[in-house]
Amino acid sequence: MIEFNKPDILFLLLLLIPLVLTMGYYLLWRKRRMRRIASDHLMHQIAPHKSTRRLIYKLSFILLATTLIIFAAARPITGSKVKTEKTAGADVVFCIDLSTSMNAEDLLPNRLFHARQAVLAIMNNLQNNKMGLIIFAGEAFVKVPLTPDRQIMQMQLNSLSTNEIQSQGTNISAAIKIARKSFPENNALHNDLGKVIVLITDGEDHEGDAIIEAEYAKNDNITIYSIGIGTPKGTPIPVTTGSGQKTFKKDKEGNVVVSRLNENLLRDIANASKGKFYISNIPRQAASNIAKEINKMNTNAAEITEYSEYLHLFHYFTLPALLLLMIDLIIPLSVRKRVLHKIVASVRIEKDKNITK
């Protein structure tokens, strides 16, 4: 079964409907206009390069190539390839804050960039670990279930945006709750393997149940490491208006909202689960420390995991699209050559007639 990482792009296919209708109307209009000048047989002799059939081929090639490019841009994948791997490290679930405050620029270029860098740095320092990704703002969602596939993790990380979740806010408790449920059920094997949640946020929680969820995590033998993104001093949150102008987020009274790092909450969350809190002023340093903590966990128990590895299928769409565009470019060249040959032949016939006379 084929799935798409960016299914929203498929809505561009709807734009092809008016394009097809416009093309059909143009072909009918063109055919009627040419018939007013001469019959189809006579028009073919007068202007062979004006072939309606050839134009239909050209437009069909362009239309089909555009369709294939849209499918390729939607990042098609399939999980039909089964792979067996041996893992012996802790299961790690990353929870990344995608609220609008992550666009704040107290850490340049913005907080979300530093969050992505922290996750990538941790991943680079881990081996034999299954990893998952949860995104949250006002709500929390599983972006990538636990998997050994680092490629899919990196691809999803690079595509993260604060526009991904419509329900805004910062519901840390929902993220921790979803993360707890992402781990396999306890058994003799999984009790030996570590379970880790890496929470990456500025800590501006608007719900207030994060500490309770962290305590539940501790009861499930899950350790939470929190990484604070931002500065205690804070900074306004940049937003873009409908006209494309950059301004700052304001509250109901019209005052500019300043987003600040909530160190106390993130430290309390980590302590409640026997974890640690880090500030990401230097993301790689925080990531290195967390990776060391994860690698200290018991890795003696081995688990054979059978999973479906994602196969990327975009090249199956891009290559035919390029071939169709190349054919489309070749068609007018062959037409010009044919017309040129006919002109040369006509000139030679006229010369021969003059010589005969």
Side-chain angles (χ1 to χ4, degrees), residues 188-235:
L189 180 59
H190 283 103
N191 280 337
D192 290 332
L193 295 172
K195 301 175 187 177
V196 175
I197 295 175
V198 180
L199 177 65
I200 306 171
T201 175
D202 52 29
E204 289 192 325
D205 187 29
H206 299 290
E207 300 299 327
D209 298 329
I211 305 297
I212 297 175
E213 286 296 333
E215 291 174 350
Y216 289 154
K218 184 188 72 172
N219 294 336
D220 293 338
N221 296 319
I222 299 172
T223 304
I224 300 177
Y225 295 101
S226 57
I227 302 179
I229 305 290
T231 59
K233 182 180 179 181
T235 188

Coordinates of all heavy atoms in Angstrom, one line a residue, residues 188-235:
A188 N 9.1 -9.3 30.1 CA 10.4 -9.6 30.6 C 11.5 -9.0 29.8 O 12.5 -8.5 30.4 CB 10.6 -11.1 30.7
L189 N 11.3 -8.9 28.5 CA 12.4 -8.3 27.6 C 12.4 -6.8 27.7 O 13.4 -6.2 27.9 CB 12.1 -8.8 26.2 CG 13.1 -8.3 25.1 CD1 14.5 -8.7 25.5 CD2 12.8 -8.8 23.8
H190 N 11.2 -6.2 27.6 CA 11.2 -4.7 27.6 C 11.5 -4.1 28.9 O 11.8 -2.9 29.0 CB 9.8 -4.3 27.0 CG 9.7 -4.4 25.6 ND1 9.0 -5.4 25.0 CD2 10.3 -3.7 24.6 CE1 9.1 -5.3 23.7 NE2 9.8 -4.2 23.4
N191 N 11.3 -4.9 30.0 CA 11.7 -4.3 31.3 C 13.2 -4.2 31.4 O 13.7 -3.3 32.2 CB 11.2 -5.3 32.4 CG 9.7 -5.0 32.7 OD1 9.2 -4.0 32.4 ND2 9.0 -6.0 33.3
D192 N 13.9 -5.0 30.7 CA 15.4 -4.9 30.7 C 15.9 -3.7 29.8 O 16.9 -3.1 30.1 CB 16.0 -6.2 30.2 CG 15.8 -7.3 31.2 OD1 15.7 -7.0 32.4 OD2 15.8 -8.5 30.8
L193 N 15.1 -3.4 28.8 CA 15.5 -2.3 27.9 C 15.0 -1.0 28.5 O 13.9 -0.9 29.1 CB 14.9 -2.5 26.5 CG 15.4 -3.7 25.8 CD1 14.6 -3.9 24.5 CD2 16.9 -3.5 25.4
G194 N 15.8 0.1 28.3 CA 15.4 1.4 28.9 C 14.3 2.1 28.0 O 14.1 1.8 26.8
K195 N 13.6 3.0 28.7 CA 12.6 3.8 28.0 C 12.8 5.2 28.3 O 12.9 5.6 29.5 CB 11.2 3.4 28.4 CG 10.8 1.9 28.2 CD 9.4 1.6 28.8 CE 9.1 0.1 28.7 NZ 7.8 -0.2 29.4
V196 N 12.9 6.0 27.3 CA 13.3 7.4 27.4 C 12.4 8.3 26.6 O 12.1 8.0 25.5 CB 14.8 7.7 27.0 CG1 15.2 9.1 27.1 CG2 15.7 6.8 27.8
I197 N 12.0 9.4 27.3 CA 11.3 10.5 26.6 C 12.2 11.7 26.6 O 12.7 12.1 27.7 CB 10.0 10.9 27.2 CG1 9.0 9.7 27.2 CG2 9.4 12.1 26.6 CD1 7.7 9.9 27.9
V198 N 12.5 12.3 25.4 CA 13.3 13.5 25.3 C 12.3 14.6 25.0 O 11.8 14.7 23.9 CB 14.4 13.4 24.3 CG1 15.2 14.7 24.2 CG2 15.3 12.2 24.6
L199 N 12.0 15.5 25.9 CA 11.1 16.6 25.8 C 11.8 17.9 25.4 O 12.7 18.3 26.1 CB 10.3 16.8 27.1 CG 9.3 17.9 27.1 CD1 8.2 17.7 26.2 CD2 8.8 18.1 28.5
I200 N 11.4 18.4 24.2 CA 12.1 19.6 23.7 C 11.1 20.7 23.5 O 10.3 20.7 22.6 CB 12.8 19.3 22.3 CG1 13.7 18.0 22.5 CG2 13.7 20.4 21.8 CD1 14.3 17.5 21.3
T201 N 11.2 21.7 24.3 CA 10.2 22.8 24.3 C 10.7 24.0 25.0 O 11.7 24.0 25.7 CB 8.9 22.3 25.0 OG1 8.0 23.4 25.1 CG2 9.2 21.8 26.4
D202 N 10.0 25.1 24.9 CA 10.3 26.3 25.7 C 9.7 26.3 27.1 O 9.9 27.2 27.9 CB 10.0 27.6 24.9 CG 8.5 27.6 24.4 OD1 7.7 27.0 25.1 OD2 8.3 28.2 23.4
G203 N 8.8 25.3 27.3 CA 8.2 25.1 28.6 C 7.0 26.0 28.9 O 6.6 26.0 30.1
E204 N 6.5 26.7 28.0 CA 5.3 27.6 28.3 C 4.0 26.8 28.2 O 3.2 26.8 27.3 CB 5.2 28.7 27.2 CG 6.3 29.8 27.4 CD 6.0 31.0 26.6 OE1 5.5 30.9 25.5 OE2 6.4 32.1 27.1
D205 N 3.9 25.9 29.3 CA 2.7 25.0 29.3 C 1.5 25.8 29.7 O 1.5 26.6 30.7 CB 3.0 23.9 30.4 CG 2.0 22.9 30.4 OD1 1.4 22.6 29.3 OD2 1.8 22.2 31.5
H206 N 0.4 25.5 29.0 CA -0.9 26.2 29.3 C -1.9 25.3 29.9 O -3.1 25.7 30.0 CB -1.4 26.8 28.0 CG -0.5 27.8 27.3 ND1 -0.3 29.0 27.9 CD2 0.3 27.7 26.2 CE1 0.6 29.7 27.1 NE2 1.0 28.9 26.1
E207 N -1.5 24.1 30.2 CA -2.5 23.1 30.8 C -2.3 22.8 32.2 O -3.2 22.8 33.0 CB -2.4 21.8 30.0 CG -2.8 22.0 28.5 CD -4.1 22.6 28.2 OE1 -5.1 22.2 29.0 OE2 -4.3 23.3 27.3
G208 N -1.0 22.5 32.7 CA -0.7 22.4 34.1 C -0.7 21.0 34.6 O -0.5 20.8 35.8
D209 N -0.8 20.0 33.8 CA -0.8 18.6 34.3 C 0.5 17.9 33.9 O 0.6 16.6 34.0 CB -2.0 17.8 33.7 CG -3.3 18.4 34.1 OD1 -3.4 18.9 35.2 OD2 -4.3 18.3 33.3
A210 N 1.5 18.6 33.5 CA 2.7 18.0 33.0 C 3.4 17.2 34.1 O 4.0 16.1 33.9 CB 3.6 19.0 32.4
I211 N 3.5 17.7 35.3 CA 4.1 17.1 36.4 C 3.5 15.7 36.8 O 4.2 14.7 37.0 CB 4.2 18.0 37.7 CG1 4.8 19.4 37.4 CG2 4.9 17.3 38.8 CD1 6.2 19.3 36.9
I212 N 2.2 15.7 36.7 CA 1.4 14.5 37.0 C 1.8 13.4 36.0 O 2.0 12.2 36.3 CB -0.1 14.7 37.1 CG1 -0.4 15.7 38.2 CG2 -0.9 13.4 37.2 CD1 -1.9 16.1 38.2
E213 N 1.8 13.8 34.7 CA 2.1 12.9 33.6 C 3.6 12.4 33.8 O 3.9 11.2 33.5 CB 1.9 13.5 32.3 CG 0.5 13.7 31.9 CD -0.3 12.3 31.7 OE1 0.4 11.3 31.4 OE2 -1.5 12.3 31.9
A214 N 4.4 13.2 34.2 CA 5.8 12.8 34.4 C 5.9 11.8 35.6 O 6.7 10.9 35.5 CB 6.7 14.1 34.8
E215 N 5.1 11.9 36.6 CA 5.1 10.9 37.7 C 4.6 9.6 37.2 O 5.1 8.5 37.5 CB 4.3 11.5 38.8 CG 4.9 12.6 39.5 CD 4.0 13.3 40.6 OE1 2.8 12.9 40.7 OE2 4.5 14.1 41.4
Y216 N 3.5 9.7 36.3 CA 3.0 8.4 35.7 C 4.1 7.8 34.9 O 4.3 6.5 34.8 CB 1.8 8.7 34.8 CG 0.6 9.1 35.5 CD1 -0.4 9.9 34.9 CD2 0.3 8.7 36.8 CE1 -1.6 10.2 35.6 CE2 -0.8 9.0 37.5 CZ -1.8 9.8 36.8 OH -2.9 10.1 37.5
A217 N 4.9 8.6 34.2 CA 6.0 8.0 33.4 C 7.0 7.3 34.3 O 7.5 6.2 33.9 CB 6.7 9.2 32.6
K218 N 7.3 7.9 35.4 CA 8.3 7.2 36.3 C 7.8 5.9 36.8 O 8.5 4.9 36.9 CB 8.5 8.1 37.5 CG 9.6 7.6 38.5 CD 9.7 8.4 39.8 CE 8.4 8.1 40.6 NZ 8.5 8.8 42.0
N219 N 6.4 5.8 37.0 CA 5.8 4.5 37.5 C 5.9 3.5 36.4 O 5.9 2.3 36.7 CB 4.4 4.8 37.9 CG 4.2 5.6 39.1 OD1 5.2 5.7 39.9 ND2 3.1 6.3 39.2
D220 N 6.0 3.9 35.1 CA 6.2 3.0 34.0 C 7.6 2.8 33.6 O 7.9 2.3 32.5 CB 5.4 3.6 32.7 CG 3.9 3.7 32.9 OD1 3.4 2.9 33.7 OD2 3.3 4.4 32.2
N221 N 8.5 3.2 34.5 CA 10.0 3.0 34.3 C 10.4 3.8 33.1 O 11.3 3.3 32.3 CB 10.3 1.5 34.1 CG 10.1 0.7 35.4 OD1 10.3 1.2 36.5 ND2 9.5 -0.5 35.2
I222 N 9.9 5.0 32.9 CA 10.2 5.8 31.8 C 11.0 7.1 32.3 O 10.5 7.7 33.2 CB 9.0 6.3 30.9 CG1 8.3 5.1 30.4 CG2 9.4 7.3 29.8 CD1 6.9 5.4 29.7
T223 N 12.1 7.4 31.8 CA 12.9 8.5 32.2 C 12.7 9.7 31.2 O 12.7 9.4 30.0 CB 14.4 8.2 32.2 OG1 14.6 7.1 33.1 CG2 15.2 9.4 32.8
I224 N 12.5 10.9 31.7 CA 12.3 12.0 30.9 C 13.5 13.0 31.0 O 13.9 13.4 32.1 CB 11.0 12.8 31.2 CG1 9.8 11.9 31.1 CG2 10.9 14.1 30.4 CD1 8.5 12.6 31.5
Y225 N 14.1 13.3 29.8 CA 15.1 14.3 29.8 C 14.5 15.5 29.0 O 14.0 15.3 27.9 CB 16.3 13.8 29.0 CG 17.1 12.6 29.7 CD1 16.9 11.3 29.3 CD2 17.9 12.9 30.8 CE1 17.5 10.3 29.9 CE2 18.5 11.8 31.4 CZ 18.3 10.5 31.0 OH 19.0 9.5 31.6
S226 N 14.5 16.6 29.7 CA 13.9 17.8 29.1 C 15.0 18.8 28.6 O 16.1 19.0 29.3 CB 13.0 18.5 30.1 OG 13.7 18.9 31.3
I227 N 14.8 19.3 27.4 CA 15.7 20.3 26.9 C 15.0 21.6 26.7 O 14.0 21.7 26.0 CB 16.3 19.9 25.5 CG1 17.0 18.5 25.6 CG2 17.2 20.9 24.9 CD1 17.6 18.0 24.3
G228 N 15.4 22.7 27.4 CA 14.8 24.0 27.3 C 15.3 24.8 26.1 O 16.5 25.0 25.9
I229 N 14.4 25.2 25.2 CA 14.7 25.9 24.0 C 14.3 27.4 24.2 O 13.1 27.7 24.4 CB 14.0 25.3 22.8 CG1 14.3 23.9 22.6 CG2 14.4 26.1 21.6 CD1 15.7 23.6 22.2
G230 N 15.2 28.3 24.3 CA 14.9 29.7 24.4 C 15.7 30.3 25.5 O 16.7 29.7 26.1
T231 N 15.4 31.5 25.9 CA 16.1 32.2 27.0 C 15.2 32.7 28.0 O 14.0 33.0 27.7 CB 16.9 33.4 26.4 OG1 16.0 34.3 25.8 CG2 17.9 33.0 25.4
P232 N 15.6 32.8 29.3 CA 14.7 33.3 30.3 C 14.2 34.7 30.1 O 13.1 35.1 30.5 CB 15.6 33.2 31.6 CG 16.6 32.2 31.3 CD 16.9 32.3 29.8
K233 N 15.0 35.5 29.4 CA 14.7 36.9 29.1 C 13.5 36.9 28.1 O 12.6 37.8 28.2 CB 15.9 37.7 28.6 CG 15.6 39.1 28.3 CD 16.8 39.8 27.7 CE 16.5 41.3 27.4 NZ 17.7 42.0 26.9
G234 N 13.6 36.0 27.2 CA 12.5 35.9 26.2 C 12.6 36.9 25.1 O 13.5 37.8 25.0
T235 N 11.6 36.8 24.2 CA 11.6 37.7 23.0 C 10.2 37.6 22.4 O 9.4 36.6 22.6 CB 12.6 37.2 21.9 OG1 12.7 38.1 20.9 CG2 12.2 35.8 21.4

